[in-house]
Amino acid sequence: MKKIIKDEDMCEVHVTHPENIQQALCHQLDDEKSQKLAEIFKILGVPSRIKLLSLLINEEMCVCDIAEALNMEQSAISHQLRVLRDAHLVKFRKEGKEAWYTLDDDHVVKLMNQGMEHIMHL
Amino acid sequence: MKKIIKDEDMCEVHVTHPENIQQALCHQLDDEKSQKLAEIFKILGVPSRIKLLSLLINEEMCVCDIAEALNMEQSAISHQLRVLRDAHLVKFRKEGKEAWYTLDDDHVVKLMNQGMEHIMHL
DNA sequence: TTTATACTTTACCTAACGAGAATATATAGT
DNA sequence: ACTATATATTCTCGTTAGGTAAAGTATAAA
């Protein structure tokens, strides 16, 4: 008897272990959470931004000083600070012409330390 | 008396707070560390990779199943797994034609949880 | 030794993004 | 009002990197 080929049999992806996939779909992070989670990590995924944040761990700094310390254009620093502000990673206060930046909270430090642990662990 | 302009006065970047910059330079992460630290964060900074890792928290999975669960091309998954392997975030074992992947260690989970805390904290 | 399956790799395309230059805004001093 | 300084923004450019398509490799079954 000739084997009848149905539409679902034509699917290119061969489902090897349906039960595993089922379990996976139950536990995976939803779109919104994985999106937001990736967002912070992406922001932390740039050396110059990591350096910038590491500066602010120790002291409040103004834009000009940060630029000098990182040997980068003031414009570039301002760009990065904008990104870090939007992500609630840093905050600032204006004092005359100057803007003084600090870390928004200690979550950032914890994240960086956790990352360092992975680095050290090889 | 006419003011004499010296070379260092011509520098475009005005050093506002030299002592702060000095302290900053002492504490900032060196190039290599900030480079490596940014590297893992960058890898975690992609939604599809976050989702992939979240799948592996709960169970060992083969490439085909991961592709099915994430609704992505098997080739794309293979690429991501290569990146994650190089970063020591996942490991795998071959069993016949299949490759079964798991998280390399629990550092990854800690990192993701720390990230989630930041998200939740807003 | 063919054929199919499971995965990896190479090549390529496009979009995203960090950084510099130029411009704009704001604040302080004269 | 004018000038200088501190920061922010707009525009642009060059590079990076995720994803797809296609070719390559390896293992197993017929």
Side-chain angles (χ1 to χ4, degrees), chain A residues 73-85:
Chain A
E73 294 292 321
Q74 177 268 321
S75 166
I77 299 300
S78 204
H79 274 131
Q80 302 294 20
L81 288 170
R82 149 67 76 187
V83 174
L84 295 171
R85 260 189 301 159

Side-chain angles (χ1 to χ4, degrees), chain A residues 14 42 46 48-49 72-73 75-76 79-80 96-97:
Chain A
H14 183 70
K42 177 183 283 184
V46 178
S48 60
R49 282 203 280 259
M72 288 173 63
E73 294 292 321
S75 166
H79 274 131
Q80 302 294 20
K97 289 176 292 186

Side-chain angles (χ1 to χ4, degrees), chain A residues 11 50 56 68 72 93 95 114:
Chain A
C11 177
I50 288 288
L56 297 182
E68 174 84 0
M72 288 173 63
R93 64 182 177 86
E95 186 177 302
Q114 195 68 53

Side-chain angles (χ1 to χ4, degrees), chain A residues 19-30 33, chain B residues 50-59 61 69-70 112:
Chain A
E19 66 288 349
N20 284 14
I21 295 173
Q22 208 52 46
Q23 189 189 337
L25 290 175
C26 290
H27 289 89
Q28 82 172 326
L29 284 180
D30 61 71
K33 281 182 184 172
Chain B
I50 288 289
K51 277 197 171 185
L52 202 165
L53 289 172
S54 78
L55 291 182
L56 297 181
I57 291 177
N58 303 292
E59 52 176 342
M61 290 183 76
L70 296 183
M112 289 175 69

Side-chain angles (χ1 to χ4, degrees), chain B residues 13-65:
Chain B
V13 180
H14 183 70
V15 180
T16 329
H17 313 89
E19 66 287 350
N20 286 13
I21 295 173
Q22 207 52 44
Q23 190 189 337
L25 290 175
C26 290
H27 289 89
Q28 81 171 329
L29 285 179
D30 61 72
D31 283 354
E32 192 192 347
K33 282 183 183 171
S34 51
Q35 180 72 43
K36 287 189 175 179
L37 194 50
E39 186 66 25
I40 356 157
F41 284 135
K42 176 182 283 184
I43 289 172
L44 295 175
V46 178
S48 61
R49 283 203 281 257
I50 288 289
K51 277 197 171 185
L52 202 165
L53 289 172
S54 78
L55 291 182
L56 297 181
I57 291 177
N58 303 292
E59 52 176 342
E60 188 182 39
M61 290 183 76
C62 71
V63 181
C64 187
D65 289 353

Side-chain angles (χ1 to χ4, degrees), chain A residues 36-54 57 80 83-85 87-90 103 105-116 119, chain B residues 29 33-46 111-112 114-116 118-119:
Chain A
K36 287 189 177 181
L37 195 49
E39 186 66 26
I40 358 158
F41 285 134
K42 177 183 283 184
I43 289 171
L44 295 176
V46 178
S48 60
R49 282 203 280 259
I50 288 288
K51 278 197 171 185
L52 202 165
L53 289 172
S54 77
I57 292 177
Q80 302 294 20
V83 174
L84 295 171
R85 260 189 301 159
H88 300 283
L89 293 174
V90 303
L103 299 183
D105 56 47
D106 60 343
H107 281 89
V108 204
V109 183
K110 286 183 184 173
L111 255 177
M112 290 176 68
N113 284 337
Q114 195 68 53
M116 284 301 281
I119 300 300
Chain B
L29 285 179
K33 282 183 183 171
S34 51
Q35 180 72 43
K36 287 189 175 179
L37 194 50
E39 186 66 25
I40 356 157
F41 284 135
K42 176 182 283 184
I43 289 172
L44 295 175
V46 178
L111 254 177
M112 289 175 69
Q114 195 68 54
M116 284 302 279
H118 181 81
I119 299 300

